[in-house]
Amino acid sequence: YNEYKSYLRYTRYMIYNLYIFNPDGQCLYYGEWNRTKASGLSSDEEYKLVYGMLYSLKPFVTRLSPATSDSFRYFKTDKYKLTMYETQSGTKFVINTATDWSSNVINNILHTLYKDVFVEFAVKNPMMSLSERIESELFKSKVETFIANYKAP
């Protein structure tokens, strides 16, 4: 955590939004910060569009890669960087950030979010089903607190 805070002091870091998808493509959680342009789609349409893009890009990247172990981790435009972290169980954490973030830093942030927030407050919660949207206020506040440590004011 502290090693990333020193890195972040020297970048124009910005987090725009975060999606968490279960292995079946259901959006379990969506959070938004500093997003200046709406997609023009309903929430459900946007979630399906993002997941569908990831679903298509993964095999595309794997097939075209000159190396045998390459997989899709991120793509970058001149305005944002979309990064995906996928767990062993197939849960996908997808974050849109400013382009100046290091891919390794984003990947580590998403891994930490997974193990410290998602596992502790969603997976271990017997009252929560990971086949439907997460409505837990505790989980949402933990994500907000976690992201607040990294996003620009």
Side-chain angles (χ1 to χ4, degrees):
Y1 171 76
N2 288 332
E3 64 194 74
Y4 301 118
K5 290 299 258 187
S6 62
Y7 167 80
L8 297 175
R9 267 185 247 148
Y10 302 104
T11 67
R12 294 183 325 263
Y13 55 96
M14 185 74 67
I15 295 174
Y16 300 119
N17 52 10
L18 168 73
Y19 305 85
I20 302 175
F21 294 103
N22 73 10
D24 297 324
Q26 174 74 32
C27 185
L28 300 176
Y29 175 83
Y30 175 77
E32 188 173 288
W33 309 270
N34 305 309
R35 186 173 181 179
T36 57
K37 181 182 176 233
S39 68
L41 303 170
S42 72
S43 296
D44 285 338
E45 289 172 328
E46 181 176 329
Y47 305 152
K48 288 176 186 175
L49 182 66
V50 170
Y51 189 82
M53 180 202 55
L54 297 171
Y55 186 82
S56 299
L57 274 177
K58 266 184 75 173
F60 177 77
V61 168
T62 303
R63 285 193 179 101
L64 292 182
S65 171
T68 57
S69 64
D70 275 357
S71 65
F72 173 75
R73 294 207 174 104
Y74 73 92
F75 76 81
K76 182 177 171 181
T77 72
D78 61 336
K79 301 287 184 199
Y80 69 93
K81 183 181 211 174
L82 181 139
T83 304
M84 180 182 76
Y85 172 80
E86 186 170 7
T87 68
Q88 291 290 329
S89 66
T91 302
K92 293 170 184 63
F93 291 74
V94 181
I95 194 167
N96 279 316
T97 63
T99 59
D100 52 357
W101 285 75
S102 154
S103 297
N104 289 334
V105 169
I106 298 172
N107 201 49
N108 286 325
I109 288 170
L110 292 175
H111 174 73
T112 304
L113 175 66
Y114 165 68
K115 71 180 183 66
D116 291 352
V117 179
F118 187 75
V119 169
E120 293 301 318
F121 298 97
V123 174
K124 291 183 179 179
N125 183 342
M127 304 301 289
M128 198 172 297
S129 168
L130 297 181
S131 61
E132 55 192 46
R133 193 148 171 87
I134 297 172
E135 298 296 337
S136 164
E137 291 303 319
L138 177 60
F139 177 81
K140 290 176 183 179
S141 72
K142 294 293 182 181
V143 170
E144 288 289 331
T145 301
F146 182 87
I147 294 295
N149 286 315
Y150 297 102
K151 69 182 180 75

